[in-house]
Amino acid sequence: MNRTRYLPPGSMRRQRRLGRLEGSVGTLVLVCAIGLGLVAATPGELYRSAPATLHPTPAGSAAPGIALQIPPCTGAGKDCTEVESDGAVTLLPRTGPQPAPLPQVQHQANHVPEPATLALIGAALGGLVWRKS
């Protein structure tokens, strides 16, 4: 009769511990080597800060005082207020033909999302496709 002999329980425990330790140390060494390789291959400009910009002190005289006459407020993108001597703010009436209401919110055209946002959207769509298949 051919009978399979098994090792006693716990006899390979030490070998498994050594294997786990070797695997952990090997993985750590591999990750550190990859990181050092990336740092060595990366140009220094990407991780070194730029030198400070020096601004020379401007030389010259003060600008002449110019008094301008401001026309009445027509509502065309101007602030229609007047600050009085006591600090009170008075709204000036808008004049002119069909004074347009002042915009409450400035709208900016051509909203372009950030590249990271586009990458996240692409990753989400890819995840949905990957999950279905």
Side-chain angles (χ1 to χ4, degrees):
M1 185 159 162
N2 194 2
R3 186 166 174 201
T4 306
R5 292 186 60 202
Y6 293 102
L7 293 171
S11 61
M12 295 294 291
R13 190 172 295 156
R14 182 172 180 267
Q15 187 69 28
R16 280 194 302 268
R17 280 192 205 130
L18 284 175
R20 280 194 205 119
L21 182 64
E22 287 173 357
S24 299
V25 169
T27 303
L28 179 66
V29 168
L30 179 66
V31 168
C32 289
I34 290 172
L36 288 174
L38 286 173
V39 168
T42 304
E45 296 87 24
L46 292 180
Y47 55 85
R48 261 187 276 136
S49 60
T53 304
L54 300 176
H55 296 286
T57 305
S61 60
I66 300 173
L68 296 177
Q69 292 294 328
I70 298 176
C73 183
T74 61
K78 288 178 20 181
D79 187 14
C80 296
T81 58
E82 182 178 290
V83 180
E84 297 176 7
S85 61
D86 61 349
V89 176
T90 306
L91 291 175
L92 299 175
R94 285 177 295 206
T95 59
Q98 297 179 346
L102 294 176
Q104 299 300 316
V105 178
Q106 293 183 354
H107 298 284
Q108 295 179 356
N110 300 330
H111 293 286
V112 179
E114 294 183 17
T117 305
L118 293 176
L120 285 174
I121 291 171
L125 292 175
L128 287 174
V129 171
W130 183 275
R131 192 175 202 188
K132 288 183 181 178
S133 58

